[in-house]
Structure formats: C-alpha cells, structure tokens
Amino acid sequence: MEFNGGIFARHFYYYRHMQTPRTEFAQALKAIATERGLDPDVILETIKQAIIAAYRRDAKERGDETEEQEFDAEINSTNGEARVFSWPLEKPEERKDVTPPGFGRIAAQTAKQVIHQKIREAEKGAIMDEFSGRVGTLISGMVLRFDGPNVRVDIGRTEAIMPAEERIPNERLNLNQRFSFLLKDIMEGLKGKEIVLSRADPAFVQKLFAREVPEIASNNVEIKLIAREPGIRTKIAVASNQSGVDPVGSCVGQKGVRVQAVTNELGGERVDIIPYSENMADLIAASLSPAENISVSLDEENKIAKVKAPEDQLSLAIGKEGQNVRLAAKLTGYRIEVEGAPVEKKEEEKEVAAEEKPEEKKEKKAPKKAKEEKKEEASAEVENKQEPKEEKVEAVQEPVQEETQETPKLE
C-alpha cells in the first residue's frame, strides 16, 4: 500500500489544531455532543443564558437592582469556569465583572440542568423524527394509564396519547393490555410534540386489512371506499387490479379467517365487504347488503337515490335504527330513500290465504267431533257385526236338537 503523505499531513494538522483539550469539562461536553448529536456551541450558549437567569434570581434575593442592567456571561470551554458581567443600559463601555464569590457552584449546577434538558430535547427530537416517518401506519403499544378521558400508551422509546375522540366508544381498555393502534399524527402540545394514536379512524380498518390480506398489501386488491361507525359496523368497497383475483373473497379469506382476524382486533365490530362498481346504482344496491332484490333510481344532480325493496327485505335494507342505510349513504355519498315495493302476487296470495283461513279453522275445530263420530260408528258396526253371529249360532243349534230327539222314535 502506497503512503499518501498529503492525506497524513492533513490529518495530523487537524489532530494537532482541532483536538479537544483534555479536561473533565471539555471531554464531558464533547462526549455529550457526540453521543446525542448536539452542537457544543449550542450547549454553551444555552448554559450562558441559564447562568444569567440564575444570577438575576440570586441578585433579586439579595435586594440588588437588575432591571436597568444588562448582563453577559463567559464560559471557559476548557475548564468550565463561568464569569458574569454587567453594565447599565446602553452603556456597554461601563461593563464590569460582577461574579459573586462562590458562584462557581451555582454555575455548575445550572450547567448540569441545562445539559440534561438539552439531552432530553435532543432525544425527543430524534424520536419524533423517527416516528414522523411512520405516520399513517400501524403500531403496537401497551396501555400505561388513563389521563382523564385520554389514554397514555407506551410505544417503546416514548409515550403516545390516544384522545377520547379516537377511542372506540364501547371498547374496554385495561392497564398493561397490548393493542394495535394507528399512528395518526404528531401534534404540538403543551409539553412539546406529542404522538397521537387512534383506533376509531376508518384508516385503522384499512391498515388492518392490509396486514391480514396479502393481496391488499401488494396492491392487487384495493379498498376503494370505506365508511365506519366505530365499535358497531364498517362497510368497505373493494376492487381488483389484477384479472382473476376475487376482491371480496380475498378479503374474507378461507372460511372467513381474514375478516374474522380484523373483527377480533376491532373488538367484535361487524365488517361488510362489497364489490366496488363504477355504476352508482349497482354500488348503492350492493352497499345495502344483506338486503337483496332491490331496485335503485338515481337523481344525480341532487345526489339522491330512491330505493325500492321487497317487504321481506325492507328491514334488512334499513338496518337497526337506520344503521345500514346510514352507512351506505356515507359510503356512496348519496342520500338514500328506502321504500317498500308493493308486490301484487303476494297480496293475492294473502287474500286467498285470508279466505281459506276460516275454513281451515273450522276443519281444525272439527277433528275432535269427527273422531268421536267415527269411534261411535265403528263401535256400532262392531255391535251390528256381532249380533248376527249369535243369531246364526242359535239358528244352527235348534235344528240339531230337534234331530236328536226325533231319531229314537224312528227306531
């Protein structure tokens, strides 16, 4: 290997002129700056401001006037010595050293506090930078404590908050219980930046399906529309981007394994999966599932859909407390009006059934009497059949007796 004298000379010059003085203060400052990724000059400047604030506080306690004075501090970066200077307002030429005796201990304590504060801020900033790249993804966390209606969650390197409006209303959370969350946002709070989590956002359901369904993760199947009432019901419309792939079947999974995994994570929340269609009438009809055999007429200008459903499907189309039709309206963006469709055949059948019912009732009431009459007839027949047998027997026996009596006379 050839020796490069130019590179060696440059490194030697840098090492000779830029090396850190070997004092405890300087080494500690350099180690903290390197480890935490902070600029040493920023740390020193912050320490200066903290020392001036500490001096003002001590001066007020002693009864000295500090409002009409300006102050500055100098810190020796080698040994950490701190000096305080003061001068009257707008008279920098009268600057003088006002460092009180024993101020070194106060300055050292102040410097320590400032360095710890800067370290915490730097660590928090690095953590926030790391999590800012994960906004909109799923994250696992453990419930730490309840801060009023909000929930504090341990997500590893830091804590996050789940506000009351981001919780599933009827979900019960226990301390030290682990859940999946949607990392929704990073917001500026009272104590700096805070990570906001959610379990009520519709995107949470989308990410759960992306985790459970490989076709969605690979973009072969896409969730086109989603509408959700957290903790109660969710509707999603899915479409396939690849021929031969069934979007609904992919999301449901074999024997419903995939959708059941999502439902379990949501605490039993029902999930309806429908095929997406560019035809709005077909999409609205599908969104009202499990109702079937419904007809849709659209008013595209006013975004109104009039739906007619058979009477036996009307309650399914509307849903409990109007939930099904309400979610379908959210999903499609149309106002949906559901009406019962009059079916003539069914009405005729009802009329025929109404006419036949009285006769059926009579027939139903009659069986007991009929049975009794049949029994009487049967018993009468039996008696009639038995009586002639006795007569025949008697008729046969009489001539036999006569013959026996007459035979001896002939002899």
Side-chain angles (χ1 to χ4, degrees), residues 15 57 79 179 188 263 283 345-346 370:
Y15 176 80
R57 185 177 61 251
N79 55 21
F179 290 95
E188 196 71 34
T263 300
L283 181 62
K345 290 183 180 179
K346 289 188 176 180

Side-chain angles (χ1 to χ4, degrees), residues 231-285:
I232 303 173
R233 197 170 184 176
T234 296
K235 284 183 180 287
I236 62 172
V238 293
S240 175
N241 296 325
Q242 185 177 357
S243 60
V245 177
D246 177 15
V248 176
S250 299
C251 294
V252 173
Q254 188 176 10
K255 296 182 180 179
V257 173
R258 293 175 177 176
V259 70
Q260 188 61 45
V262 174
T263 300
N264 292 340
E265 183 62 45
L266 296 173
E269 181 178 325
R270 181 177 174 180
V271 180
D272 296 339
I273 305 170
I274 64 170
Y276 177 79
S277 174
E278 295 291 343
N279 187 330
M280 188 55 65
D282 293 341
L283 181 62
I284 291 172

Side-chain angles (χ1 to χ4, degrees), residues 321-375:
E321 298 178 355
Q323 181 192 96
N324 195 49
V325 69
R326 187 167 59 248
L327 276 175
K330 285 183 182 179
L331 189 75
T332 59
Y334 272 69
R335 179 184 172 185
I336 301 176
E337 299 176 356
V338 183
E339 298 177 355
V343 181
E344 294 179 358
K345 290 183 180 179
K346 289 188 176 180
E347 288 178 359
E348 290 175 1
E349 289 174 3
K350 285 182 180 179
E351 289 176 0
V352 172
E355 291 174 357
E356 291 178 353
K357 277 181 182 177
E359 295 178 0
E360 290 175 1
K361 286 181 181 178
K362 289 179 182 178
E363 289 177 0
K364 285 180 182 178
K365 290 179 181 178
K368 288 183 180 179
K369 293 181 179 179
K371 285 181 181 178
E372 291 175 358
E373 290 176 358
K374 285 180 181 178
K375 284 181 181 179

Side-chain angles (χ1 to χ4, degrees), residues 120-350:
R120 286 194 297 270
E121 290 177 359
E123 287 179 341
K124 191 170 183 179
I127 291 170
M128 292 303 164
D129 290 341
E130 175 189 344
F131 283 104
S132 62
R134 298 175 62 183
V135 172
T137 63
L138 291 181
I139 191 169
S140 178
M142 187 173 64
V143 177
L144 275 181
R145 62 184 181 277
F146 296 96
D147 188 5
N150 303 330
V151 181
R152 287 283 174 181
V153 181
D154 180 8
I155 57 174
R157 294 184 62 188
T158 186
E159 291 183 12
I161 186 171
M162 182 168 65
E165 61 271 16
E166 299 298 339
R167 294 176 58 179
I168 297 176
N170 55 353
E171 185 175 45
R172 183 177 180 182
L173 304 177
N174 298 319
L175 294 178
N176 300 324
Q177 192 174 5
R178 186 165 291 276
F179 290 95
S180 293
F181 302 89
L182 175 72
L183 203 164
K184 187 173 183 179
D185 198 6
I186 296 178
M187 299 178 63
E188 196 71 34
L190 297 174
K191 298 180 180 179
K193 291 184 178 180
E194 285 188 328
I195 298 173
V196 180
L197 304 180
S198 176
R199 282 177 62 82
D201 197 283
F204 179 56
V205 179
Q206 286 183 292
K207 295 300 177 182
L208 287 176
F209 270 103
R211 186 177 70 180
E212 299 294 335
V213 182
E215 289 83 355
I216 293 180
S218 61
N219 293 324
N220 291 330
V221 174
E222 183 181 356
I223 297 177
K224 291 284 190 178
L225 300 170
I226 183 168
R228 185 185 183 199
E229 289 189 2
I232 303 173
R233 197 170 184 176
T234 296
K235 284 183 180 287
I236 62 172
V238 293
S240 175
N241 296 325
Q242 185 177 357
S243 60
V245 177
D246 177 15
V248 176
S250 299
C251 294
V252 173
Q254 188 176 10
K255 296 182 180 179
V257 173
R258 293 175 177 176
V259 70
Q260 188 61 45
V262 174
T263 300
N264 292 340
E265 183 62 45
L266 296 173
E269 181 178 325
R270 181 177 174 180
V271 180
D272 296 339
I273 305 170
I274 64 170
Y276 177 79
S277 174
E278 295 291 343
N279 187 330
M280 188 55 65
D282 293 341
L283 181 62
I284 291 172
S287 68
L288 290 171
S289 65
E292 298 176 346
N293 302 324
I294 60 179
S295 60
V296 181
S297 59
L298 299 178
D299 180 359
E300 296 183 357
E301 292 183 1
N302 299 317
K303 292 276 186 179
I304 297 175
K306 293 185 178 180
V307 176
K308 291 185 178 180
E311 291 181 1
D312 60 341
Q313 300 291 314
L314 190 60
S315 60
L316 291 175
I318 296 172
K320 185 179 180 181
E321 298 178 355
Q323 181 192 96
N324 195 49
V325 69
R326 187 167 59 248
L327 276 175
K330 285 183 182 179
L331 189 75
T332 59
Y334 272 69
R335 179 184 172 185
I336 301 176
E337 299 176 356
V338 183
E339 298 177 355
V343 181
E344 294 179 358
K345 290 183 180 179
K346 289 188 176 180
E347 288 178 359
E348 290 175 1
E349 289 174 3
K350 285 182 180 179

Side-chain angles (χ1 to χ4, degrees), residues 108-125:
Q109 186 67 23
T110 304
K112 181 180 178 182
Q113 293 173 356
V114 168
I115 289 173
H116 281 301
Q117 182 182 354
K118 280 293 177 183
I119 290 172
R120 286 194 297 270
E121 290 177 359
E123 287 179 341
K124 191 170 183 179

